[in-house]
Amino acid sequence: MEYKLKEESGKIIIENLDHFEPKHVFECGQCFRWNEEEDGSYTGVAHGKVVNVKKENNNIIFSNINKKDFEEIWYNYFDLDRDYGKIKEQLSKDKTLKEAIKFGYGIRVLKQDPWEILISFIISANNRIPMIKRAIEKLSEKYGEFIEEYKGRKYYSFPSADKLDNLTVEDIKACGTGFRAKYIQSAAIIVSSSEIDIYAIKNLSTENARKELMLFSGVGPKVSDCIMLFSMNKDDAFPIDVWVKRVMEYFYVDDDTKLKDIQKFAQDKFEGIAGFAQQYLFYYARELGIGRKKK
DNA sequence: CGTCAGGTCTCTA
DNA sequence: TAGAGACCTGAC
């Protein structure tokens, strides 16, 4: 897509960018390393770089950035090439999605790193978001590379597989990962030894990619769908966590519908872009508490 | 003190 | 092949 770009010292500004609201992007459940600053902007780390994102009027301001990185990393990371107007148009044919989109109009699906997402979502299983974030930060602080200090905080890259493959389960547990430590250790060994090429999985079909990902222990149906949607361009992946299950039961299916059938329903209904539907629904459900604790 | 959270693994019938 | 329990950890 074409954008009107302005470059200032250490900043890139995109003017009149629709379909981009920092709060929606960073709090719709897809990422763990972006945090809100006092001024309402968000700072995060990805690809070994620290960036701040702020919305003013209808402009998006990327700070601590240069044009080269913007073009080579962040343009892709923020999915700026995609026509969200078209996605919204297609999904809005459904009444519930239309409401969910109105609510989370600024959501974008980030294109994150498969290895980082693999570990992040292994940690997410039966866990809480603040604790997931804490564990990921701890792993990065201890075993990642120091990048820089920004707005009074120190930033570290997410550790590569060969930084983790020689750690003991206890080392990993010390980062607050709990019972998932053994899964992380195992994944690190598998990836660093190239037993599985995590970066090649995106070339498989959604179905085969899912099978491949589930070879990692600690990776089941939900986590594999997250990895595919958030880091492998699988737009039809539809991760079903507790929130999505609740919202689907509330609006679309019977309460006792099996997860596999909910997924099939969604993939049929949302024709190839179920993943985007999932993001709008997740944000809608979690922010409004839809279906929470009926009993 | 129990309960529970972005699920998955293990064990049993 | 499906369903019940267990599971690190810490916030309530």
Side-chain angles (χ1 to χ4, degrees):
Chain A
M1 306 211 40
E2 294 290 321
Y3 296 105
K4 201 169 166 199
L5 283 188
K6 254 173 58 183
E7 192 180 1
E8 288 175 16
S9 58
K11 291 182 196 293
I12 295 281
I13 299 164
I14 305 182
E15 297 185 321
N16 299 314
L17 177 56
D18 293 326
H19 320 300
F20 193 129
E21 185 62 49
K23 180 178 163 61
H24 299 172
V25 173
F26 302 122
E27 295 182 17
C28 67
Q30 58 182 329
C31 54
F32 300 105
R33 301 204 68 194
W34 288 86
N35 293 300
E36 192 173 9
E37 303 280 2
E38 284 180 6
D39 64 356
S41 67
Y42 283 79
T43 302
V45 46
H47 297 281
K49 313 264 182 187
V50 180
V51 166
N52 178 272
V53 181
K54 186 173 189 179
K55 183 162 187 169
E56 266 180 14
N57 304 316
N58 206 35
N59 301 335
I60 297 294
I61 304 161
F62 298 91
S63 300
N64 202 40
I65 199 173
N66 60 55
K67 189 153 191 211
K68 184 167 174 286
D69 285 348
F70 177 78
E71 287 169 349
E72 291 179 1
I73 298 173
W74 304 105
Y75 183 83
N76 178 60
Y77 181 87
F78 285 105
D79 204 20
L80 292 173
D81 200 31
R82 193 184 302 272
D83 184 352
Y84 277 78
K86 199 173 151 195
I87 285 178
K88 290 177 175 181
E89 191 186 329
Q90 184 186 326
L91 293 177
S92 291
K93 287 186 282 185
D94 178 81
K95 211 176 71 193
T96 301
L97 253 300
K98 190 170 182 176
E99 286 305 305
I101 288 169
K102 205 184 288 177
F103 189 78
Y105 59 88
I107 286 174
R108 307 184 77 88
V109 176
L110 300 175
K111 291 178 172 165
Q112 303 180 76
D113 178 74
W115 159 249
E116 177 174 338
I117 291 298
L118 167 69
I119 299 304
S120 299
F121 280 88
I122 284 175
I123 294 172
S124 79
N126 195 21
N127 208 345
R128 290 166 188 253
I129 290 175
M131 290 192 56
I132 300 165
K133 294 177 80 164
R134 199 184 308 167
I136 292 169
E137 285 318 306
K138 198 94 188 199
L139 277 171
S140 303
E141 267 174 49
K142 273 189 152 173
Y143 303 109
E145 305 285 338
F146 175 69
I147 303 169
E148 65 176 308
E149 189 166 328
Y150 182 77
K151 288 185 187 286
R153 243 188 96 188
K154 288 181 176 170
Y155 286 88
Y156 299 82
S157 66
F158 188 81
S160 60
D162 53 291
K163 280 276 161 61
L164 302 183
D165 67 354
N166 60 342
L167 300 179
T168 65
V169 170
E170 288 309 313
D171 291 334
I172 299 171
K173 219 175 209 178
C175 296
T177 59
F179 64 87
R180 311 157 195 86
K182 55 182 178 293
Y183 305 145
I184 295 169
Q185 183 195 47
S186 160
I189 292 168
I190 289 171
V191 171
S192 73
S193 69
S194 303
E195 185 182 331
I196 294 178
D197 182 352
I198 188 80
Y199 293 97
I201 296 179
K202 67 156 73 169
N203 300 321
L204 302 174
S205 67
T206 301
E207 192 188 345
N208 287 333
R210 197 171 201 239
K211 282 184 194 157
E212 189 79 0
L213 285 167
M214 284 177 63
L215 294 174
F216 289 99
S217 56
V219 177
K222 190 271 178 182
V223 169
S224 61
D225 285 344
C226 286
I227 298 167
M228 290 193 292
L229 178 60
F230 302 142
S231 73
M232 296 182 176
N233 291 4
K234 299 301 183 194
D235 301 343
D236 56 336
F238 190 82
I240 304 174
D241 56 57
V242 287
W243 289 104
V244 174
K245 182 169 184 292
R246 285 171 188 159
V247 74
M248 290 300 287
E249 286 172 351
Y250 192 85
F251 290 110
Y252 300 103
V253 301
D254 293 337
D255 280 10
D256 55 354
T257 309
K258 291 181 171 44
L259 291 180
K260 206 197 287 181
D261 294 327
I262 297 179
Q263 177 159 66
K264 187 168 166 26
F265 174 89
Q267 289 178 327
D268 288 345
K269 189 171 185 60
F270 304 124
E271 300 173 328
I273 53 170
F276 292 88
Q278 193 270 3
Q279 289 292 276
Y280 291 116
L281 289 170
F282 174 89
Y283 187 69
Y284 189 50
R286 193 161 71 101
E287 293 290 310
L288 296 183
I290 290 170
R292 183 177 51 191
K293 293 275 176 293
K294 283 185 284 205
K295 290 168 192 171

